[in-house]
Amino acid sequence: MTEAGNAWNNLMTASDASFLQSYEWAKLQEAVDRRVNFLAKNSCSGLLITYPLRFGKNYIYSPRGPDFTGNNDLDLNSLEEFLKEAENSSGEDSIFLRIEPGAGNPENNSIISNNLRRLGFKKTAEVQPEQTRILDLEKPEPVLLKEMEHDTRYAIRAALRRGVTITKLKTTE
């Protein structure tokens, strides 16, 4: 990983950000021909991903971002500065900015959501799941299944019975 990538991940780790704000996620987005921008303005930072639309237009999306470093920096001014910088860096072909804060603690998310409403943002259906879980896939399959809830185990086994197949692909590193 590059020095810039390490620095970005350290910044995101300091704010307890989602993996959707990580350098690795940005590289994956670039691999599928999306433009990414790492934006850090004062205490507010976020990964901005450009998604193409028809007629040469696009929109900017920050999954589970922006993030704030420190609890005292959830102020409206920091958010406004971040949004202005996001607008300036997006280009003329961008028609809207979609942000979806939510990786940190619920109290902070509520403050961010209230500030976004004050700035004219509207709540829409979320793209990302409300909750995520990180699994250690190095564990044996029986252990992983045992640690899951009953309904999840049932859904996995039902999918296998219905013909869903799992293929392990070789990664290129």
PDB file of all heavy atoms in Angstrom, residues 70-92:
ATOM      1  N   GLY A  70     -12.844  13.190  16.235  1.00  0.00           N
ATOM      2  CA  GLY A  70     -13.122  13.831  17.520  1.00  0.00           C
ATOM      3  C   GLY A  70     -14.596  14.158  17.675  1.00  0.00           C
ATOM      4  O   GLY A  70     -15.272  14.527  16.730  1.00  0.00           O
ATOM      5  N   ASN A  71     -15.119  14.007  18.883  1.00  0.00           N
ATOM      6  CA  ASN A  71     -16.537  14.250  19.137  1.00  0.00           C
ATOM      7  C   ASN A  71     -16.903  15.722  19.157  1.00  0.00           C
ATOM      8  O   ASN A  71     -18.060  16.075  18.996  1.00  0.00           O
ATOM      9  CB  ASN A  71     -16.951  13.615  20.474  1.00  0.00           C
ATOM     10  CG  ASN A  71     -17.012  12.109  20.381  1.00  0.00           C
ATOM     11  OD1 ASN A  71     -17.158  11.564  19.293  1.00  0.00           O
ATOM     12  ND2 ASN A  71     -16.878  11.443  21.507  1.00  0.00           N
ATOM     13  N   ASN A  72     -15.944  16.594  19.386  1.00  0.00           N
ATOM     14  CA  ASN A  72     -16.249  18.017  19.503  1.00  0.00           C
ATOM     15  C   ASN A  72     -16.333  18.709  18.153  1.00  0.00           C
ATOM     16  O   ASN A  72     -16.583  19.893  18.080  1.00  0.00           O
ATOM     17  CB  ASN A  72     -15.189  18.712  20.367  1.00  0.00           C
ATOM     18  CG  ASN A  72     -15.173  18.160  21.772  1.00  0.00           C
ATOM     19  OD1 ASN A  72     -16.203  17.754  22.285  1.00  0.00           O
ATOM     20  ND2 ASN A  72     -14.009  18.127  22.384  1.00  0.00           N
ATOM     21  N   ASP A  73     -16.098  17.982  17.078  1.00  0.00           N
ATOM     22  CA  ASP A  73     -16.023  18.607  15.773  1.00  0.00           C
ATOM     23  C   ASP A  73     -17.218  18.297  14.879  1.00  0.00           C
ATOM     24  O   ASP A  73     -17.106  18.311  13.669  1.00  0.00           O
ATOM     25  CB  ASP A  73     -14.735  18.182  15.070  1.00  0.00           C
ATOM     26  CG  ASP A  73     -13.510  18.693  15.798  1.00  0.00           C
ATOM     27  OD1 ASP A  73     -13.553  19.842  16.261  1.00  0.00           O
ATOM     28  OD2 ASP A  73     -12.549  17.940  15.912  1.00  0.00           O
ATOM     29  N   LEU A  74     -18.358  17.983  15.468  1.00  0.00           N
ATOM     30  CA  LEU A  74     -19.539  17.653  14.678  1.00  0.00           C
ATOM     31  C   LEU A  74     -20.346  18.896  14.337  1.00  0.00           C
ATOM     32  O   LEU A  74     -21.545  18.834  14.160  1.00  0.00           O
ATOM     33  CB  LEU A  74     -20.427  16.659  15.453  1.00  0.00           C
ATOM     34  CG  LEU A  74     -19.785  15.310  15.720  1.00  0.00           C
ATOM     35  CD1 LEU A  74     -20.656  14.496  16.662  1.00  0.00           C
ATOM     36  CD2 LEU A  74     -19.564  14.564  14.440  1.00  0.00           C
ATOM     37  N   ASP A  75     -19.674  20.019  14.249  1.00  0.00           N
ATOM     38  CA  ASP A  75     -20.378  21.285  14.053  1.00  0.00           C
ATOM     39  C   ASP A  75     -20.775  21.490  12.598  1.00  0.00           C
ATOM     40  O   ASP A  75     -20.218  20.899  11.675  1.00  0.00           O
ATOM     41  CB  ASP A  75     -19.523  22.450  14.560  1.00  0.00           C
ATOM     42  CG  ASP A  75     -18.272  22.635  13.739  1.00  0.00           C
ATOM     43  OD1 ASP A  75     -17.456  21.697  13.690  1.00  0.00           O
ATOM     44  OD2 ASP A  75     -18.128  23.702  13.153  1.00  0.00           O
ATOM     45  N   LEU A  76     -21.727  22.350  12.427  1.00  0.00           N
ATOM     46  CA  LEU A  76     -22.279  22.662  11.116  1.00  0.00           C
ATOM     47  C   LEU A  76     -21.238  23.284  10.190  1.00  0.00           C
ATOM     48  O   LEU A  76     -21.207  22.993   9.003  1.00  0.00           O
ATOM     49  CB  LEU A  76     -23.478  23.603  11.303  1.00  0.00           C
ATOM     50  CG  LEU A  76     -24.372  23.878  10.120  1.00  0.00           C
ATOM     51  CD1 LEU A  76     -24.970  22.586   9.588  1.00  0.00           C
ATOM     52  CD2 LEU A  76     -25.472  24.841  10.513  1.00  0.00           C
ATOM     53  N   ASN A  77     -20.347  24.113  10.719  1.00  0.00           N
ATOM     54  CA  ASN A  77     -19.343  24.777   9.887  1.00  0.00           C
ATOM     55  C   ASN A  77     -18.392  23.785   9.215  1.00  0.00           C
ATOM     56  O   ASN A  77     -18.070  23.923   8.042  1.00  0.00           O
ATOM     57  CB  ASN A  77     -18.543  25.795  10.717  1.00  0.00           C
ATOM     58  CG  ASN A  77     -19.394  26.965  11.139  1.00  0.00           C
ATOM     59  OD1 ASN A  77     -20.383  27.290  10.491  1.00  0.00           O
ATOM     60  ND2 ASN A  77     -19.019  27.594  12.237  1.00  0.00           N
ATOM     61  N   SER A  78     -17.929  22.793   9.964  1.00  0.00           N
ATOM     62  CA  SER A  78     -17.034  21.787   9.384  1.00  0.00           C
ATOM     63  C   SER A  78     -17.733  21.028   8.263  1.00  0.00           C
ATOM     64  O   SER A  78     -17.146  20.772   7.211  1.00  0.00           O
ATOM     65  CB  SER A  78     -16.572  20.792  10.452  1.00  0.00           C
ATOM     66  OG  SER A  78     -15.738  21.406  11.380  1.00  0.00           O
ATOM     67  N   LEU A  79     -18.977  20.685   8.482  1.00  0.00           N
ATOM     68  CA  LEU A  79     -19.740  19.966   7.471  1.00  0.00           C
ATOM     69  C   LEU A  79     -19.958  20.832   6.239  1.00  0.00           C
ATOM     70  O   LEU A  79     -19.798  20.373   5.108  1.00  0.00           O
ATOM     71  CB  LEU A  79     -21.083  19.502   8.049  1.00  0.00           C
ATOM     72  CG  LEU A  79     -21.964  18.672   7.134  1.00  0.00           C
ATOM     73  CD1 LEU A  79     -21.249  17.402   6.667  1.00  0.00           C
ATOM     74  CD2 LEU A  79     -23.260  18.313   7.842  1.00  0.00           C
ATOM     75  N   GLU A  80     -20.295  22.110   6.452  1.00  0.00           N
ATOM     76  CA  GLU A  80     -20.488  23.029   5.318  1.00  0.00           C
ATOM     77  C   GLU A  80     -19.217  23.159   4.483  1.00  0.00           C
ATOM     78  O   GLU A  80     -19.275  23.135   3.255  1.00  0.00           O
ATOM     79  CB  GLU A  80     -20.913  24.416   5.824  1.00  0.00           C
ATOM     80  CG  GLU A  80     -22.375  24.516   6.143  1.00  0.00           C
ATOM     81  CD  GLU A  80     -22.743  25.924   6.567  1.00  0.00           C
ATOM     82  OE1 GLU A  80     -22.104  26.462   7.501  1.00  0.00           O
ATOM     83  OE2 GLU A  80     -23.664  26.490   5.948  1.00  0.00           O
ATOM     84  N   GLU A  81     -18.069  23.297   5.143  1.00  0.00           N
ATOM     85  CA  GLU A  81     -16.804  23.424   4.420  1.00  0.00           C
ATOM     86  C   GLU A  81     -16.503  22.163   3.622  1.00  0.00           C
ATOM     87  O   GLU A  81     -16.044  22.232   2.482  1.00  0.00           O
ATOM     88  CB  GLU A  81     -15.664  23.719   5.395  1.00  0.00           C
ATOM     89  CG  GLU A  81     -15.726  25.139   5.945  1.00  0.00           C
ATOM     90  CD  GLU A  81     -14.594  25.410   6.922  1.00  0.00           C
ATOM     91  OE1 GLU A  81     -13.528  24.761   6.796  1.00  0.00           O
ATOM     92  OE2 GLU A  81     -14.784  26.262   7.804  1.00  0.00           O
ATOM     93  N   PHE A  82     -16.767  21.003   4.213  1.00  0.00           N
ATOM     94  CA  PHE A  82     -16.562  19.747   3.503  1.00  0.00           C
ATOM     95  C   PHE A  82     -17.453  19.675   2.267  1.00  0.00           C
ATOM     96  O   PHE A  82     -17.002  19.320   1.169  1.00  0.00           O
ATOM     97  CB  PHE A  82     -16.861  18.556   4.432  1.00  0.00           C
ATOM     98  CG  PHE A  82     -16.788  17.223   3.746  1.00  0.00           C
ATOM     99  CD1 PHE A  82     -15.579  16.568   3.610  1.00  0.00           C
ATOM    100  CD2 PHE A  82     -17.925  16.637   3.229  1.00  0.00           C
ATOM    101  CE1 PHE A  82     -15.509  15.340   2.973  1.00  0.00           C
ATOM    102  CE2 PHE A  82     -17.868  15.415   2.586  1.00  0.00           C
ATOM    103  CZ  PHE A  82     -16.649  14.760   2.461  1.00  0.00           C
ATOM    104  N   LEU A  83     -18.721  20.036   2.416  1.00  0.00           N
ATOM    105  CA  LEU A  83     -19.666  19.963   1.298  1.00  0.00           C
ATOM    106  C   LEU A  83     -19.302  20.948   0.187  1.00  0.00           C
ATOM    107  O   LEU A  83     -19.428  20.621  -0.996  1.00  0.00           O
ATOM    108  CB  LEU A  83     -21.094  20.208   1.795  1.00  0.00           C
ATOM    109  CG  LEU A  83     -21.638  19.133   2.731  1.00  0.00           C
ATOM    110  CD1 LEU A  83     -22.969  19.554   3.315  1.00  0.00           C
ATOM    111  CD2 LEU A  83     -21.737  17.793   2.034  1.00  0.00           C
ATOM    112  N   LYS A  84     -18.840  22.146   0.551  1.00  0.00           N
ATOM    113  CA  LYS A  84     -18.404  23.114  -0.471  1.00  0.00           C
ATOM    114  C   LYS A  84     -17.215  22.577  -1.245  1.00  0.00           C
ATOM    115  O   LYS A  84     -17.158  22.689  -2.465  1.00  0.00           O
ATOM    116  CB  LYS A  84     -18.054  24.450   0.185  1.00  0.00           C
ATOM    117  CG  LYS A  84     -19.253  25.278   0.566  1.00  0.00           C
ATOM    118  CD  LYS A  84     -18.843  26.565   1.229  1.00  0.00           C
ATOM    119  CE  LYS A  84     -20.054  27.261   1.806  1.00  0.00           C
ATOM    120  NZ  LYS A  84     -19.695  28.399   2.639  1.00  0.00           N
ATOM    121  N   GLU A  85     -16.258  21.987  -0.533  1.00  0.00           N
ATOM    122  CA  GLU A  85     -15.083  21.415  -1.188  1.00  0.00           C
ATOM    123  C   GLU A  85     -15.485  20.228  -2.073  1.00  0.00           C
ATOM    124  O   GLU A  85     -14.963  20.069  -3.172  1.00  0.00           O
ATOM    125  CB  GLU A  85     -14.059  20.965  -0.146  1.00  0.00           C
ATOM    126  CG  GLU A  85     -12.729  20.573  -0.717  1.00  0.00           C
ATOM    127  CD  GLU A  85     -11.960  21.741  -1.309  1.00  0.00           C
ATOM    128  OE1 GLU A  85     -12.113  22.887  -0.842  1.00  0.00           O
ATOM    129  OE2 GLU A  85     -11.197  21.499  -2.261  1.00  0.00           O
ATOM    130  N   ALA A  86     -16.436  19.429  -1.627  1.00  0.00           N
ATOM    131  CA  ALA A  86     -16.930  18.313  -2.437  1.00  0.00           C
ATOM    132  C   ALA A  86     -17.575  18.835  -3.712  1.00  0.00           C
ATOM    133  O   ALA A  86     -17.359  18.299  -4.803  1.00  0.00           O
ATOM    134  CB  ALA A  86     -17.923  17.480  -1.639  1.00  0.00           C
ATOM    135  N   GLU A  87     -18.347  19.900  -3.591  1.00  0.00           N
ATOM    136  CA  GLU A  87     -18.990  20.503  -4.764  1.00  0.00           C
ATOM    137  C   GLU A  87     -17.942  21.057  -5.734  1.00  0.00           C
ATOM    138  O   GLU A  87     -18.037  20.859  -6.938  1.00  0.00           O
ATOM    139  CB  GLU A  87     -19.946  21.612  -4.324  1.00  0.00           C
ATOM    140  CG  GLU A  87     -20.697  22.243  -5.454  1.00  0.00           C
ATOM    141  CD  GLU A  87     -21.651  23.341  -4.996  1.00  0.00           C
ATOM    142  OE1 GLU A  87     -21.741  23.615  -3.785  1.00  0.00           O
ATOM    143  OE2 GLU A  87     -22.309  23.925  -5.869  1.00  0.00           O
ATOM    144  N   ASN A  88     -16.941  21.730  -5.195  1.00  0.00           N
ATOM    145  CA  ASN A  88     -15.893  22.310  -6.048  1.00  0.00           C
ATOM    146  C   ASN A  88     -15.084  21.248  -6.774  1.00  0.00           C
ATOM    147  O   ASN A  88     -14.629  21.466  -7.896  1.00  0.00           O
ATOM    148  CB  ASN A  88     -14.956  23.188  -5.217  1.00  0.00           C
ATOM    149  CG  ASN A  88     -15.634  24.444  -4.723  1.00  0.00           C
ATOM    150  OD1 ASN A  88     -16.636  24.886  -5.275  1.00  0.00           O
ATOM    151  ND2 ASN A  88     -15.096  25.005  -3.654  1.00  0.00           N
ATOM    152  N   SER A  89     -14.896  20.097  -6.151  1.00  0.00           N
ATOM    153  CA  SER A  89     -14.058  19.055  -6.757  1.00  0.00           C
ATOM    154  C   SER A  89     -14.848  18.102  -7.646  1.00  0.00           C
ATOM    155  O   SER A  89     -14.257  17.263  -8.314  1.00  0.00           O
ATOM    156  CB  SER A  89     -13.356  18.252  -5.652  1.00  0.00           C
ATOM    157  OG  SER A  89     -14.294  17.510  -4.911  1.00  0.00           O
ATOM    158  N   SER A  90     -16.162  18.239  -7.680  1.00  0.00           N
ATOM    159  CA  SER A  90     -16.983  17.253  -8.390  1.00  0.00           C
ATOM    160  C   SER A  90     -17.053  17.477  -9.897  1.00  0.00           C
ATOM    161  O   SER A  90     -17.286  16.542 -10.644  1.00  0.00           O
ATOM    162  CB  SER A  90     -18.398  17.238  -7.807  1.00  0.00           C
ATOM    163  OG  SER A  90     -19.037  18.470  -8.043  1.00  0.00           O
ATOM    164  N   GLY A  91     -16.902  18.680 -10.359  1.00  0.00           N
ATOM    165  CA  GLY A  91     -16.970  18.956 -11.791  1.00  0.00           C
ATOM    166  C   GLY A  91     -18.369  19.337 -12.231  1.00  0.00           C
ATOM    167  O   GLY A  91     -19.347  19.146 -11.510  1.00  0.00           O
ATOM    168  N   GLU A  92     -18.449  19.877 -13.443  1.00  0.00           N
ATOM    169  CA  GLU A  92     -19.716  20.397 -13.959  1.00  0.00           C
ATOM    170  C   GLU A  92     -20.718  19.304 -14.321  1.00  0.00           C
ATOM    171  O   GLU A  92     -21.910  19.565 -14.398  1.00  0.00           O
ATOM    172  CB  GLU A  92     -19.462  21.272 -15.187  1.00  0.00           C
ATOM    173  CG  GLU A  92     -18.728  22.547 -14.865  1.00  0.00           C
ATOM    174  CD  GLU A  92     -18.503  23.396 -16.102  1.00  0.00           C
ATOM    175  OE1 GLU A  92     -19.134  23.148 -17.136  1.00  0.00           O
ATOM    176  OE2 GLU A  92     -17.690  24.322 -16.020  1.00  0.00           O
TER     177      GLU A  92
END
